[in-house]
Amino acid sequence: METSELLQKVRHIEIKARGLSRNIFAGEYHSAFKGRGMAFSEVREYQYGDDLRDIDWNVTARYNRPYVKVFEEERELTVMLLIDVSESQSFGSTSIVKRDMVAQIAATLAFSAIQNNDKIGVIFFTDKIEKFIPPKKGRKHILFIIREILGFTPGSSGTEIDQALRYMTNGIKKRCTAFLISDFIDSHDYKHALRIANRKHDLVAIQVYDALSTRLESVGLMKVHDPESDKDTWIDTSSKKTREQYRTWWTRRQAEMDVAFKQSRVDSVSVSTEDDYVKSLLQLFQQRR
């Protein structure tokens, strides 16, 4: 992508994302995520109706009457974007490829974060960690992130989500809100890493997929290229059995992904490149309120 085209895309995404985050998402984002960052403030005597889980047993034992911990909302959160930059992100059957949709979603989340005085960082990953951008604030930082999403050339082509999750779990010491953005086309098992990451952090999964991935159209003999393995396969799409097998595979894969999210208690949303991602994000935010 030429520099002028890249800058034009970045500017277009910035204008749209800033408008959405200011006019639509600011309040929803705050309600959905801000309250998750709580810092210990003080203790006070137990009052009827207090949550028993907040009792400070050390202080209670010292004064021989119940005391509870009081928490206050942290003024600032750290937001991490875990972004899949594998070769499958370059696929698109419509006017927008998955990578462009990822950039729009990431930009909207980033501008919503800085409006709430949050820092934002990024982990780009394939089947390895490609790049880590430390959390910072500010418009220039976000524009740098958008440019990287659109123009970054990864060193590898595969996908291993568990690598990114483990890297974040081990590297980000303070609890953060993390958005894992991927098409989740991954042959490796990431369920354990997903569960561990969500125990330490507040993890949200956003699947971005192309609608054509969900089905095979009957167009005869077709050569299919896998960008991650760089292999070509010939498929007879006129075969009803082949189309049904593919549909079954897609449905099973989606079900397995949903089960992984539910078992790990990870909130999630799936967004097609044909969808209005604004509605999808609002749905995600509102289900967390």
Side-chain angles (χ1 to χ4, degrees):
M1 188 183 299
E2 295 183 1
T3 303
S4 59
E5 183 186 356
L6 176 61
L7 292 176
Q8 188 177 8
K9 271 194 170 185
V10 171
R11 180 60 178 159
H12 174 75
I13 290 175
E14 180 196 8
I15 292 170
K16 182 175 182 179
R18 287 184 74 178
L20 288 171
S21 61
R22 184 184 303 114
N23 301 321
I24 299 176
F25 288 119
E28 296 292 342
Y29 170 90
H30 182 94
S31 299
F33 300 104
K34 200 64 175 176
R36 303 298 176 104
M38 306 299 289
F40 172 71
S41 175
E42 59 183 6
V43 294
R44 62 164 170 78
E45 282 196 61
Y46 175 85
Q47 298 174 4
Y48 178 76
D50 285 338
D51 193 329
L52 295 178
R53 291 173 297 182
D54 292 336
I55 290 178
D56 188 318
W57 295 106
N58 291 330
V59 178
T60 295
R62 188 182 310 148
Y63 292 100
N64 204 27
R65 55 182 183 272
Y67 277 78
V68 294
K69 296 177 181 178
V70 178
F71 297 86
E72 63 181 12
E73 189 174 84
E74 290 184 304
R75 290 190 295 271
E76 165 186 298
L77 290 180
T78 295
V79 176
M80 290 300 302
L81 302 177
L82 281 65
I83 297 179
D84 179 355
V85 291
S86 62
E87 282 299 314
S88 63
Q89 298 303 310
S90 61
F91 176 77
S93 62
T94 63
S95 59
I96 182 171
V97 300
K98 286 185 281 186
R99 181 175 287 114
D100 289 342
M101 176 69 85
V102 167
Q104 291 184 30
I105 292 172
T108 302
L109 293 171
F111 279 112
S112 298
I114 64 167
Q115 286 204 18
N116 281 276
N117 201 37
D118 297 338
K119 294 185 293 185
I120 188 155
V122 181
I123 297 171
F124 290 118
F125 70 93
T126 53
D127 52 8
K128 64 180 183 180
I129 304 303
E130 295 282 348
K131 187 169 187 175
F132 171 64
I133 302 176
K136 292 182 182 178
K137 298 180 184 179
R139 174 178 172 270
K140 286 185 178 180
H141 180 61
I142 291 176
L143 293 181
F144 171 69
I145 290 172
I146 299 171
R147 285 197 301 271
E148 287 293 289
I149 296 172
L150 293 172
F152 185 78
T153 302
S156 189
S157 59
T159 306
E160 287 193 34
I161 293 169
D162 65 318
Q163 294 266 14
L165 291 170
R166 288 203 302 268
Y167 184 87
M168 181 187 69
T169 301
N170 296 330
I172 307 299
K173 302 304 181 185
K174 183 181 177 183
R175 180 175 173 84
C176 73
T177 295
F179 294 93
L180 174 57
I181 310 175
S182 172
D183 54 16
F184 290 88
I185 298 176
D186 187 352
S187 59
H188 305 84
D189 187 359
Y190 55 83
K191 291 191 289 292
H192 180 69
L194 196 73
R195 193 178 305 115
I196 298 300
N198 198 42
R199 284 178 187 169
K200 183 175 181 181
H201 303 290
D202 181 15
L203 183 63
V204 178
I206 301 176
Q207 182 195 29
V208 177
Y209 67 95
D210 189 283
L212 191 61
S213 307
T214 68
R215 64 188 184 276
L216 283 179
E217 300 290 346
S218 180
V219 293
L221 198 62
M222 181 173 66
K223 183 168 73 172
V224 179
H225 179 71
D226 182 351
E228 296 200 3
S229 65
D230 199 28
K231 292 181 179 178
D232 294 329
T233 304
W234 286 95
I235 298 176
D236 182 10
T237 62
S238 62
S239 166
K240 183 178 179 181
K241 181 179 179 182
T242 298
R243 296 197 304 273
E244 288 178 349
Q245 286 176 337
Y246 182 87
R247 183 64 182 174
T248 299
W249 170 82
W250 172 265
T251 302
R252 183 174 64 248
R253 197 184 71 84
Q254 288 294 102
E256 290 172 352
M257 181 188 71
D258 290 338
V259 167
F261 293 153
K262 288 176 182 176
Q263 289 180 344
S264 304
R265 298 186 176 182
V266 171
D267 292 328
S268 65
V269 67
S270 292
V271 186
S272 163
T273 51
E274 294 180 353
D275 290 343
D276 179 0
Y277 73 89
V278 174
K279 291 181 180 178
S280 299
L281 287 183
L282 281 174
Q283 175 189 340
L284 172 67
F285 290 176
Q286 289 165 0
Q287 78 182 38
R288 292 173 57 94
R289 296 181 65 173

